[in-house]
Amino acid sequence: MIPAHSGPLEGDWVKGDGQFFDFNSDGTMTNEIYQDSSWTANGDLLTTVSTVQYLDENDYFASRIIVQVVTYTLSEDGNAMWWEWKSVSIDGVEQDVDVNTCSLLLKEKVAENNYEYSIDCLLYTSDAADEGLGVDL
């Protein structure tokens, strides 16, 4: 059974590097990098599980499973979301994560491209500073 997802996370989001994320109500997530992904939220923890295909050294298709766990915080208006990475694993092997930074995502309705993001993110960076977050724009 697929768990019900919270409404505020659903929808299209953009990150400062131009990545778009689409969180669907059925638990699937897509973006330009991870086309085959799912997501779940539990409290303030967001977990994404992605299957990435690539060509191995023998030119055969292979896949890797990437699991990312972040703590997320939403702005009061629900148009900004901060991600602070807690863990990243690739095929079950934990990766080094810089836990002192976070990324800001904006709803696509607020920032449809990098230019709009660069302007609109300033509305939310002072909120992050108030929360003690080191925002990676």
Side-chain angles (χ1 to χ4, degrees):
M1 174 183 231
I2 297 176
H5 295 285
S6 56
L9 294 181
E10 293 173 11
D12 298 326
W13 296 84
V14 63
K15 218 171 99 182
D17 60 5
Q19 284 187 65
F20 285 90
F21 295 82
D22 185 10
F23 291 92
N24 300 304
S25 62
D26 66 358
T28 59
M29 181 195 81
T30 57
N31 73 14
E32 294 89 3
I33 298 173
Y34 307 122
Q35 293 294 315
D36 184 16
S37 301
S38 63
W39 68 279
T40 57
N42 185 5
D44 65 350
L45 290 180
L46 170 64
T47 302
T48 62
V49 179
S50 304
T51 302
V52 180
Q53 294 198 352
Y54 65 98
L55 288 175
D56 66 13
E57 63 277 356
N58 298 315
D59 289 332
Y60 291 112
F61 279 105
S63 62
R64 295 194 174 205
I65 307 267
I66 300 173
V67 178
Q68 300 179 74
V69 179
V70 300
T71 300
Y72 74 93
T73 305
L74 293 170
S75 62
E76 286 185 24
D77 65 6
N79 290 325
M81 174 170 43
W82 294 270
W83 281 5
E84 184 177 2
W85 271 262
K86 294 300 174 192
S87 66
V88 176
S89 67
I90 300 174
D91 291 336
V93 177
E94 289 293 322
Q95 306 296 304
D96 291 330
V97 177
D98 183 359
V99 295
N100 295 319
T101 61
C102 70
S103 290
L104 174 65
L105 289 80
L106 297 178
K107 284 274 191 173
E108 188 178 22
K109 68 181 182 183
V110 173
E112 293 183 9
N113 54 51
N114 282 354
Y115 176 74
E116 289 179 5
Y117 182 98
S118 68
I119 293 170
D120 294 330
C121 72
L122 300 175
L123 300 171
Y124 298 99
T125 54
S126 62
D127 291 344
D130 293 343
E131 296 291 326
L133 301 172
V135 178
D136 176 21
L137 301 175

